[in-house]
Amino acid sequence: MRAIHELTQQDLADKIQVSRQTIHTIEKGKYVPSTLLALKMAAVFQVNVLEIFEIEESDWS
Amino acid sequence: MKNSYLFPYKYKKIGLLLFVAGFTLLLMGFLFDVDVELSYLDIKMPVIVTNPLFSERQYFQMVETNITHQIIILSIIIGGLLFGFSKERVEDELISDIRNKSLVWAVYFNYSLLIISLFILADLDMLAMIVFNVFTLLLFFIIRFEWKKYVLKKTSHEE
């Protein structure tokens, strides 16, 4: 999604006021962002949150 | 998120300076018996309670004392608080998550060490441990927090 919009991790980070490391860990699946941050990312890409994030089976347990 | 109880980023450096300076002086005094007391810090100070070694406890006295150690302790605590609890350059939710986890980790580690000390140290060494415990919580928190930030930076630089 970031690639489609031709944004670097840093560009996206600047747009939503987080560090590049935060974008990195989110993309790696190592960190689950808050609802607010997920909404901000979706707003930057002008899509629905569910189009960039999904809930996994393991999240239920 | 607005009320984060953190100091502005600019206090981070001064915090580190105070913390390191204070710790260096403390260790010099404690471990290497260097005389760090400055004679012009001999003052008469009003205290609420004092318990001199060979007499009864007294209340509301003026005592003659050297306040070098008070200043060192103040420097470590204020410095540590400023360094550990100032905002990062980019203060975001991942950093606050790491800070919170480091704090929890440091509390567990600190008290584990104290519990272990109860059984392996005695007398004056135990007393020294308890004195050091005043600072170790802050110290362990800072080390853990900085280490976790370093790991984060390193892993996200690898590609």
Side-chain angles (χ1 to χ4, degrees):
Chain A
M1 185 51 83
R2 191 161 53 73
I4 296 170
H5 285 76
E6 290 181 348
L7 285 173
T8 63
Q9 286 184 340
Q10 189 65 61
D11 294 337
L12 178 58
D14 292 344
K15 277 182 193 291
I16 57 176
Q17 298 111 40
V18 298
S19 68
R20 197 186 64 75
Q21 285 89 346
T22 304
I23 302 296
H24 174 87
T25 49
I26 293 170
E27 287 181 1
K28 284 268 163 188
K30 279 193 270 180
Y31 177 67
V32 181
S34 69
T35 315
L36 181 63
L37 202 52
L39 285 166
K40 279 186 181 176
M41 290 173 89
V44 169
F45 297 132
Q46 294 175 314
V47 294
N48 201 302
V49 173
L50 284 171
E51 290 175 56
I52 42 177
F53 293 104
E54 58 180 13
I55 192 158
E56 287 169 9
E57 203 54 44
S58 58
D59 294 331
W60 290 101
S61 52
Chain B
M1 279 299 281
K2 293 279 175 264
N3 193 0
S4 59
Y5 303 111
L6 297 175
F7 300 103
Y9 173 66
K10 59 182 175 188
Y11 290 117
K12 201 149 183 90
K13 279 201 184 106
I14 179 123
L16 180 64
L17 193 77
L18 286 173
F19 189 67
V20 171
F23 239 102
T24 312
L25 288 172
L26 185 83
L27 291 179
M28 274 164 61
F30 254 95
L31 297 182
F32 305 110
D33 282 329
V34 180
D35 187 14
V36 290
E37 294 198 350
L38 301 167
S39 56
Y40 61 83
L41 290 176
D42 279 323
I43 59 157
K44 264 181 177 268
M45 189 173 72
V47 291
I48 292 179
V49 188
T50 171
N51 193 357
L53 211 47
F54 301 107
S55 60
E56 294 285 296
R57 177 175 287 130
Q58 296 158 4
Y59 298 91
F60 299 102
Q61 295 286 320
M62 291 295 284
V63 290
E64 253 180 71
T65 181
N66 186 290
I67 58 164
T68 306
H69 280 105
Q70 278 88 330
I71 289 173
I72 290 175
I73 292 167
L74 200 65
S75 167
I76 296 175
I77 293 175
I78 301 285
L81 287 175
L82 286 179
F83 183 64
F85 296 102
S86 284
K87 284 180 182 155
E88 297 299 308
R89 195 160 41 225
V90 184
E91 176 72 30
D92 61 15
E93 55 179 60
L94 180 60
I95 286 290
S96 17
D97 188 51
I98 294 174
R99 184 183 292 107
N100 289 348
K101 282 178 181 159
S102 303
L103 197 51
V104 173
W105 184 93
V107 171
Y108 285 154
F109 186 76
N110 186 52
Y111 283 107
S112 305
L113 215 63
L114 193 62
I115 289 171
I116 294 168
S117 305
L118 285 174
F119 297 101
I120 61 172
L121 299 178
D123 302 334
L124 285 178
D125 283 340
M126 188 62 215
L127 189 66
M129 180 65 204
I130 290 171
V131 171
F132 269 105
N133 222 259
V134 171
F135 316 107
T136 47
L137 179 60
L138 261 178
L139 181 69
F140 295 148
F141 162 63
I142 286 170
I143 292 173
R144 178 77 178 182
F145 185 37
E146 292 301 314
W147 166 249
K148 281 287 168 187
K149 279 193 300 182
Y150 169 75
V151 170
L152 177 73
K153 224 175 193 157
K154 218 175 127 208
T155 50
S156 67
H157 261 293
E158 268 163 6
E159 46 232 65

